[in-house]
Amino acid sequence: MKLDDALRDGMSVDGAIGIALVDMRSGMLLGKQGGNQLFDLDMAGALNTEVLRAKLRAVEALQLGDNVQDILVTLNAQYHLIMPLVRNDGEELFLYLALDKSRGNLALARHQLRRIEQAIRL
């Protein structure tokens, strides 16, 4: 499945505001769907790179010996999901999904991100 198609599938989740595939090293978006004038996906992707890096540093510093599956940030009106992708080629990527809290279903959104992860991996 092409990246644009996979991300377009992510926008099919009820309440989806925007979705992006982000390079964790640079904070640059490799692909995106959605977003608007009030929600800049490029900026959100870059800023959430720091959120993921901080959590990965914390897991390492605490010597938890575990991996981050996803990070959920709950705002008054939105959910923000950050999901690192497991890659064998050394790339450090993550999926980022912003969801309207009043319309979205968090469990379905997480399931859809896992499906997109599998599609991107192929």
Side-chain angles (χ1 to χ4, degrees):
M1 179 181 288
K2 293 182 180 178
L3 177 58
D4 286 338
D5 294 335
L7 295 176
R8 204 172 353 270
D9 282 352
M11 287 300 294
S12 69
V13 174
D14 284 340
I17 298 167
I19 187 170
L21 179 65
V22 184
D23 180 327
M24 195 173 82
R25 291 182 180 144
S26 66
M28 299 290 293
L29 272 58
L30 303 176
K32 66 180 178 179
Q33 292 287 322
N36 55 45
Q37 292 176 342
L38 300 175
F39 193 80
D40 183 344
L41 269 173
D42 292 288
M43 183 179 295
L47 294 171
N48 280 294
T49 298
E50 294 303 317
V51 172
L52 179 54
R53 286 179 186 160
K55 189 60 190 174
L56 292 172
R57 282 192 307 270
V59 168
E60 185 177 332
L62 293 169
Q63 300 178 355
L64 298 177
D66 210 344
N67 297 314
V68 175
Q69 289 187 355
D70 61 46
I71 297 171
L72 171 64
V73 177
T74 304
L75 305 175
N76 288 334
Q78 298 175 355
Y79 292 122
H80 291 231
L81 280 164
I82 302 167
M83 180 180 289
L85 301 185
V86 176
R87 302 284 297 199
N88 294 329
D89 57 10
E91 283 189 287
E92 295 177 338
L93 308 174
F94 67 92
L95 286 167
Y96 170 68
L97 174 67
L99 195 63
D100 182 301
K101 195 173 173 182
S102 67
R103 296 185 5 237
N105 179 312
L106 188 55
L108 289 176
R110 291 179 79 200
H111 177 73
Q112 185 70 359
L113 285 181
R114 295 262 180 252
R115 289 185 50 203
I116 293 169
E117 175 187 26
Q118 293 301 316
I120 291 173
R121 190 181 296 177
L122 298 177

